[in-house]
Amino acid sequence: RSRSGHVGKGAIDGSDHIRQADVARAFCQCPTAIDTAAGFDDSSPAKFGEHRPEVGDRDSLPRAELARGERALSRRSQLHGRPQGVVGAARQAHGCSILACMNETESSQATMPRLSVAPIPEGSVLLHIGPPKTGTSALQGACHSCREAMLEQGVRYAGRTQQSGRAAYAVLGRTHPTLGGAPSIHHWRRLVAEVRNAREARVFVSSEFFAGADDAQAARIVDELGGERVHVALTLRPVSRILASRWQQNVQEGARYSYDQWLRWVFEQPDEGKGATFWSRQRHDRLAARWARIVGASRLSAVMVDERDRSAIFHAFEGLLALRSGTLVPQDDTANRSMTAAEIELVRALNEAFAAEGIARPLLYKMITRGTALYMKGRAPSREEARQETPAWAIQRADAIGREKIGRAHV
């Protein structure tokens, strides 16, 4: 997909090359300077937006464990000198469900006309594999909320919740953050049964966690979902725009390391540890090539998230699924917004406090990701609050990787 939001089917071939230079060139766009205004200073209680789509089961916390967390929080009531209004309000939110959608859903004026998108054939399955931080939550939130409208047009959005995350974790054998282990394989088998038994003309499956599949796992996923019926879609975004968001997500899931330390791992140790984990999903050229080797270039679509036209992702998938324009309606919610610099540092300090109390990672995930952090993001930050800033050296390294992709592209 080009910068203007145009989809290029078959843009990636099995030899790990990108044919369309426009798609590759979009990888190395970098953001302008991020605001670095005055510090966070808001003692008012945080509030959720009115829209809260139901997503999966609500995980309650054992009272004894919740009490331990409350005591740790109380002892750190002046963490990093931050005002405590938001923290106090956040205590009430432990156990909340994850909400919809990325704060990249408002339409902006398109700078170029859109090209028509050829839909996948009737009888096909469209598998959206992410990767993370590329507009996935916005798309999934819209599909989850618009299931009935999609069904009326012959498209089934598979799964019971916003995305097929547990099924993806199960088939990949990955540890789920709330379970402390991999989910039961029945989650995957149930998804496969739904897809195979669907009578609709087209079926749509979406989870960014599928991006973590290796070659063998990817081949199994495609085979069990329908083999030659399966088409794969990737949503892509310049790496320089993903960095801060990915680190913030790590912190919200319990990480205690700083942004600078994580960036050093990503760029200086790309083949091991946390660096390898990041690049396994965010080397988009390699990710696309892996899936193209399985489904073929003609059944692979790449959609570039357009920062200037944030509705483009919805139009692209409406086209791929033969939905009427306007079927996928962005959901008005702030729960997937980026946190301010002060907010995320507060969460990181809470992680340190809770870890010192010996709170296990699954419980910490429920208390922070589904509790405190989620509740904090329900407030609307003022323009004066400083945003997370990516250092220039990291942007330059990300741009260099983008240029490497361009150098391998077929013009």
Side-chain angles (χ1 to χ4, degrees):
R1 188 177 178 91
S2 70
R3 291 184 302 169
S4 58
H6 306 155
V7 171
K9 288 185 69 64
I12 316 298
D13 69 17
S15 61
D16 198 19
H17 288 163
I18 300 176
R19 290 200 187 108
Q20 291 192 344
D22 281 346
V23 175
R25 189 171 294 110
F27 287 147
C28 70
Q29 294 174 332
C30 63
T32 55
I34 301 174
D35 293 338
T36 54
F40 173 66
D41 187 15
D42 180 7
S43 59
S44 61
K47 297 181 180 179
F48 280 115
E50 294 182 359
H51 180 78
R52 187 191 298 190
E54 195 64 32
V55 182
D57 298 329
R58 295 168 64 89
D59 296 296
S60 58
L61 299 177
R63 291 189 177 184
E65 296 289 356
L66 178 58
R68 290 174 62 198
E70 292 287 355
R71 290 196 297 271
L73 183 62
S74 175
R75 282 194 291 273
R76 295 295 185 94
S77 61
Q78 296 299 323
L79 288 171
H80 288 208
R82 305 299 184 192
Q84 298 305 305
V86 170
V87 179
R91 293 181 189 174
Q92 306 169 23
H94 299 313
C96 295
S97 298
I98 299 176
L99 311 184
C101 79
M102 180 176 186
N103 195 21
E104 285 197 347
T105 59
E106 296 182 2
S107 298
S108 60
Q109 184 176 359
T111 57
M112 296 179 65
R114 290 192 181 91
L115 295 177
S116 60
V117 179
I120 62 174
E122 291 191 7
S124 298
V125 177
L126 182 62
L127 173 63
H128 172 222
I129 64 169
K133 303 303 174 185
T134 59
T136 53
S137 294
L139 177 64
Q140 293 158 355
C143 290
H144 183 58
S145 297
C146 301
R147 288 179 181 273
E148 293 302 319
M150 295 173 71
L151 280 172
E152 291 172 359
Q153 299 174 58
V155 179
R156 171 175 290 274
Y157 184 49
R160 302 180 180 182
T161 56
Q162 179 174 311
Q163 61 139 310
S164 300
R166 288 212 175 188
Y169 272 96
V171 72
L172 298 179
R174 287 184 56 191
T175 299
H176 193 279
T178 65
L179 301 177
S184 168
I185 196 63
H186 90 268
H187 292 285
W188 169 247
R189 292 171 179 164
R190 184 172 61 195
L191 177 67
V192 169
E194 179 184 359
V195 170
R196 287 184 170 271
N197 295 329
R199 298 182 178 180
E200 290 77 16
R202 296 172 179 87
V203 180
F204 183 37
V205 178
S206 178
S207 176
E208 60 269 34
F209 303 119
F210 287 121
D214 60 25
D215 289 358
Q217 292 168 332
R220 175 189 176 183
I221 290 166
V222 170
D223 179 63
E224 296 189 12
L225 287 178
E228 294 184 357
R229 295 175 56 210
V230 177
H231 293 243
V232 175
L234 298 86
T235 41
L236 307 178
R237 194 179 181 201
V239 172
S240 58
R241 291 184 179 271
I242 291 173
L243 294 170
S245 180
R246 180 64 263 175
W247 172 76
Q248 286 200 0
Q249 187 65 40
N250 292 352
V251 172
Q252 291 171 58
E253 294 175 359
R256 289 170 282 163
Y257 42 78
S258 69
Y259 188 30
D260 186 70
Q261 177 61 71
W262 180 78
L263 289 172
R264 298 290 177 184
W265 287 329
V266 165
F267 290 108
E268 296 177 6
Q269 302 176 25
D271 298 322
E272 58 185 81
K274 294 176 176 60
T277 299
F278 176 80
W279 290 116
S280 68
R281 296 162 179 79
Q282 301 301 347
R283 275 302 302 239
H284 300 155
D285 51 347
R286 297 173 184 172
L287 180 65
R290 173 180 300 121
W291 290 84
R293 285 192 291 270
I294 297 167
V295 301
S298 63
R299 289 191 282 133
L300 183 81
S301 297
V303 179
M304 175 61 71
V305 175
D306 190 341
E307 306 290 341
R308 300 169 302 175
D309 183 4
R310 292 171 177 174
S311 66
I313 188 172
F314 304 106
H315 295 295
F317 280 87
E318 286 169 345
L320 288 169
L321 295 167
L323 295 169
R324 292 189 299 270
S325 179
T327 298
L328 299 181
V329 180
Q331 302 305 297
D332 183 16
D333 190 83
T334 61
N336 206 49
R337 71 166 174 84
S338 295
M339 303 188 83
T340 65
E343 287 173 333
I344 196 63
E345 284 302 316
L346 175 58
V347 171
R348 193 161 71 93
L350 290 174
N351 290 342
E352 293 176 351
F354 289 142
E357 294 293 320
I359 296 176
R361 191 66 175 264
L363 179 58
L364 182 63
Y365 180 89
K366 296 174 186 178
M367 296 176 69
I368 298 296
T369 309
R370 295 189 174 184
T372 302
L374 181 61
Y375 199 74
M376 289 170 69
K377 290 191 289 185
R379 59 183 286 274
S382 68
R383 292 178 179 271
E384 289 72 30
E385 295 178 38
R387 278 22 181 200
Q388 186 70 46
E389 184 173 4
T390 300
W393 70 265
I395 293 176
Q396 292 169 0
R397 295 286 291 273
D399 289 347
I401 292 171
R403 287 191 291 273
E404 177 186 341
K405 295 173 183 176
I406 293 174
R408 300 171 64 190
H410 294 290
V411 179

